[in-house]
Amino acid sequence: MFSQWGEDGIIQYLISRLPWKIRFFVEFGVQDYSESNTRFLLVNDNWTGLVIDSSSESIKHIRSQEYYWKYDLTAVCDFVTIDNINKLIMGAGITGSIGILSIDIDGNDYWIWNAIQQFHLKS
C-alpha cells in the first residue's frame, strides 16, 4: 500500500502469523511518509508510532496530513546519528519494547541499529 517495494505487505503478513503484543513502531528515514514501511500498520491496524526524518519540510508535510491527527503518530525532525538515536527515541517518551523498527538512511542502517541500546524489539 505505502511502501516502495511491498515491504508493508510482507510486514503485515508476518505480524498476522505471530502473537504480536507490542503495537508500537519506530521508523526513520521516512521522507514525507508517502512511501513507508509502517504507515499501513498505523492506518489499518491502529498501531502507535514514531517517525523521524532530517527534512523539516517532510516533517511539516507529515504533520499537516489527516493521518497525523487521526492516529497516534509522533513526527520528529532531526538528523539521526549513532550518538543521538537513543536520545531521540527516549525524547519521544518511548521506553521498553518496540514492536517494529524500520531504518532506511542509506548506508548507515547497521551502525544506527547497533547503537540502539536502551530498547529491545519484542513481539
Side-chain angles (χ1 to χ4, degrees), residues 11 20 26 37 46-47 49 55 68 95 111:
I11 291 168
W20 222 262
V26 174
N37 294 334
N46 204 32
W47 279 46
S55 166
Y68 187 73
T95 59
W111 301 108

Side-chain angles (χ1 to χ4, degrees), residues 15 18 25-26 33 39 41 43 54 58 86 89 97 99 106 116:
I15 65 168
L18 297 170
F25 64 81
V26 174
Y33 206 48
R39 188 166 155 196
L41 293 173
V43 300
S54 63
S58 291
N86 292 301
I89 296 172
S97 298
D106 300 333
I116 297 175

Side-chain angles (χ1 to χ4, degrees), residues 37-93:
N37 294 334
T38 58
R39 188 166 155 196
F40 189 72
L41 293 173
L42 179 74
V43 300
N44 188 64
D45 297 330
N46 204 32
W47 279 46
T48 300
L50 167 65
V51 294
I52 307 170
D53 199 85
S54 63
S55 166
S56 60
E57 286 301 313
S58 291
I59 296 301
K60 183 179 176 182
H61 173 80
I62 293 167
R63 290 177 180 163
S64 72
Q65 299 302 302
E66 179 181 6
Y67 60 77
Y68 187 73
W69 60 263
K70 192 173 182 180
Y71 299 97
D72 193 2
L73 181 66
T74 302
V76 173
C77 181
D78 213 320
F79 187 83
V80 175
T81 68
I82 60 172
D83 297 320
N84 73 356
I85 186 56
N86 292 301
K87 183 178 173 184
L88 289 171
I89 296 172
M90 285 189 308

